Amino acid sequence: MALSFKEILRYYFFWIINITLNLLRFKKRDKNLWIFGAWGGNKFNDNTKYLFKYVHENEPKIQAVWITSKNTIKDEIIKMGYTCYLYNEKEGRKARLNAGYIFYTNGISDVGKINLCHGAKIVALWHGMPLKRLWFATNYFKHKKLRTILRYYTLKIYYDKQRDYTIATSETTKTFLQECFEVNPDSILITGQPRNDILFDSEVSTLIKSKLNHLENEKFILYMPTWRDMDLKGDSFLDNVLKELYEDSQFLELLVQKNIKLYVKPHPNLKLQAKSQGNVVVIDESLDIDSQELLVVADAFITDYSSAFIDYALLKRPIYFFTPDIEEYEKGSLGTFLSFNEFAQHWESTISGFKELILNGNEEIGCANTQLINSIYNDPTLKEGQYSRNIVEALRK
């Protein structure tokens, strides 16, 4: 989607300020002060959340501080007993100027659009491993047009995805990330993702089932489609899928008869209009349930191009794919590193096939998908549930 003139001016305003700050370089840095942020300062979740909590609870010599743009998030974190500041308050600015390590999911702007972190070690935890091509690896940068060249060098001079370290889950994802962000392979640490630690917490399943009023005799199927650009129907995609499910009364009745609950978790950037109906439950933000918590509970997982399938594969449960726009997606402005047949043995492209996966998914086929995914994306030598510890130990070396 094209930026408005006002958005372009705002982008370059911060770009120029951050280049100037980079030249000044703040030198005083405390290696035991670590600050964390996520999703532009607007959320408390994802990889930074789980590493933040781990450090606070297991590393007494390190001061872990969360930086946010929202008072509601600050209040929530302080109630948990953690330290949190707004990025633009005095203590928040002081932390950013002095921190030895910065951890983000989306970019350095997770802890403030004005970058006060130059000189600190920046660790990109990101928000998933790449199936989709990102940044410098996208199809967009393959077109050597003037605007593409200008965009490339604008980003190389300064962009908020800069990092000293990047985490990966396997040698394959390390290669993908190197291409995405054009970084030295030695700066990529194969540690696993902190958010995956919770997948092996036995208490989570009971808590989430209770929160959702999910009965023990009901099958829990989780559907999490990815975000789509507007040229792939954007916000309307998931609404259209749910509309087709809701118009099929026989399908809705079979869900009840088979004791199946279909839980639908929209992408955080999606504005979904559809609501829950019958045994189809839409997980909106009001329920305050983390995506990783849903993965723990799910008996089977259905997605398309969401990197969440890489996380879920660690549980060794069935994974299914519903990809009605696969050809358009692979040829889009981003593109994919792998074609589907390289990491999946089976996928469905029709709504009838999608319904069949929900009602009668073949577990053997689903587990074959999972096994293939793990062979590519998840290093088997990484100990389950120890991913946060791996990062801390790697940074100590």
Side-chain angles (χ1 to χ4, degrees):
M1 186 185 297
L3 295 176
S4 67
F5 181 68
K6 184 177 180 180
E7 289 171 326
I8 292 172
L9 285 179
R10 180 178 173 82
Y11 171 83
Y12 278 104
F13 170 75
F14 286 112
W15 184 74
I16 291 169
I17 287 178
N18 288 327
I19 288 175
T20 304
L21 292 172
N22 188 28
L23 294 174
L24 293 175
R25 287 272 171 180
F26 302 103
K27 294 186 177 180
K28 184 182 177 182
R29 293 287 167 183
D30 181 353
K31 67 179 182 179
N32 290 321
L33 174 57
W34 292 13
I35 66 173
F36 301 77
W39 289 85
N42 297 319
K43 296 179 181 180
F44 177 56
N45 67 5
D46 225 303
N47 279 314
T48 43
K49 168 186 171 181
Y50 290 101
L51 183 61
F52 170 72
K53 293 175 73 174
Y54 173 85
V55 170
H56 186 277
E57 294 161 10
N58 296 278
E59 298 292 332
K61 292 183 180 180
I62 296 172
Q63 182 185 4
V65 176
W66 190 274
I67 302 292
T68 182
S69 62
K70 294 193 171 187
N71 277 303
T72 52
I73 294 177
K74 178 184 175 181
D75 292 343
E76 173 192 351
I77 293 173
I78 289 175
K79 282 181 182 177
M80 295 177 185
Y82 304 132
T83 304
C84 180
Y85 303 120
L86 297 176
Y87 72 88
N88 60 357
E89 64 181 333
K90 181 180 178 181
E91 290 300 323
R93 288 193 294 269
K94 183 179 177 181
R96 293 159 64 201
L97 286 167
N98 290 291
Y101 285 88
I102 317 296
F103 298 85
Y104 70 70
T105 59
N106 292 51
I108 201 68
S109 57
D110 288 357
V111 297
K113 290 188 181 298
I114 295 178
N115 188 352
L116 302 180
C117 303
H118 298 293
K121 293 293 183 182
I122 299 173
V123 185
L125 303 181
W126 210 237
H127 46 280
M129 292 297 107
L131 165 64
K132 294 170 281 189
R133 290 180 171 273
L134 305 169
W135 289 95
F136 299 114
T138 62
N139 290 340
Y140 173 82
F141 280 108
K142 292 180 180 178
H143 304 296
K144 301 302 181 183
K145 298 178 181 178
L146 178 60
R147 66 178 182 180
T148 310
I149 295 170
L150 290 174
R151 175 67 170 159
Y152 177 85
Y153 285 106
T154 296
L155 291 174
K156 293 301 283 186
I157 294 170
Y158 177 85
Y159 79 130
D160 80 339
K161 308 301 185 281
Q162 62 182 286
R163 74 280 304 283
D164 294 287
Y165 299 104
T166 305
I167 67 163
T169 57
S170 70
E171 286 292 344
T172 301
T173 58
K174 177 178 178 176
T175 302
F176 294 164
L177 289 163
Q178 181 185 351
E179 187 176 345
C180 288
F181 301 106
E182 295 192 344
V183 292
N184 188 314
D186 292 338
S187 71
I188 303 177
L189 311 173
I190 300 177
T191 60
Q193 299 183 87
R195 70 186 192 187
N196 292 160
D197 286 344
I198 197 176
L199 297 178
F200 305 97
D201 185 338
S202 59
E203 296 181 1
V204 172
S205 182
T206 301
L207 291 171
I208 298 305
K209 284 181 179 179
S210 176
K211 196 168 188 176
L212 292 170
N213 296 315
H214 183 86
L215 303 178
E216 285 299 324
N217 66 334
E218 292 176 321
K219 187 171 184 179
F220 192 120
I221 297 181
L222 179 61
Y223 174 47
M224 284 177 56
T226 194
W227 165 250
R228 284 164 167 74
D229 293 330
M230 293 309 294
D231 57 349
L232 287 172
K233 300 181 180 179
D235 285 350
S236 66
F237 172 82
L238 183 52
D239 272 310
N240 291 337
V241 170
L242 290 176
K243 182 175 181 290
E244 293 208 47
L245 296 185
Y246 292 162
E247 289 177 348
D248 187 342
S249 58
Q250 184 180 14
F251 169 76
L252 296 177
E253 289 172 7
L254 284 170
L255 287 179
V256 176
Q257 290 175 21
K258 289 174 172 283
N259 279 334
I260 295 172
K261 283 279 187 71
L262 175 65
Y263 292 90
V264 180
K265 182 70 168 71
H267 188 278
N269 290 341
L270 185 64
K271 297 176 182 177
L272 187 67
Q273 302 300 317
K275 305 297 181 184
S276 301
Q277 185 170 323
N279 275 23
V280 180
V281 181
V282 176
I283 308 290
D284 58 32
E285 290 188 356
S286 67
L287 289 171
D288 191 29
I289 298 177
D290 191 294
S291 295
Q292 294 293 303
E293 294 171 329
L294 290 171
L295 293 178
V296 175
V297 187
D299 297 309
F301 183 58
I302 304 176
T303 187
D304 40 33
Y305 324 105
S306 170
S307 65
F309 72 77
I310 299 168
D311 303 55
Y312 188 76
L314 289 167
L315 294 170
K316 299 179 176 64
R317 299 176 194 161
I319 296 175
Y320 306 104
F321 295 98
F322 171 50
T323 57
D325 52 1
I326 185 171
E327 291 184 9
E328 297 93 327
Y329 199 91
E330 289 183 341
K331 296 176 182 177
S333 59
L334 296 179
T336 58
F337 279 106
L338 301 173
S339 60
F340 248 68
N341 60 8
E342 291 180 89
F343 64 87
Q345 293 190 4
H346 178 79
W347 59 92
E348 293 288 348
S349 299
T350 65
I351 193 69
S352 59
F354 178 49
K355 293 174 185 176
E356 183 64 19
L357 288 179
I358 297 166
L359 296 172
N360 302 299
N362 185 308
E363 188 168 323
E364 185 176 341
I365 290 175
C367 287
N369 285 341
T370 300
Q371 186 174 2
L372 186 53
I373 291 162
N374 276 328
S375 71
I376 298 169
Y377 282 100
N378 291 311
D379 187 330
T381 66
L382 295 177
K383 190 173 180 180
E384 294 177 347
Q386 300 295 321
Y387 310 119
S388 293
R389 177 184 290 182
N390 292 342
I391 293 172
V392 174
E393 290 181 350
L395 294 177
R396 281 193 178 127
K397 294 178 180 180

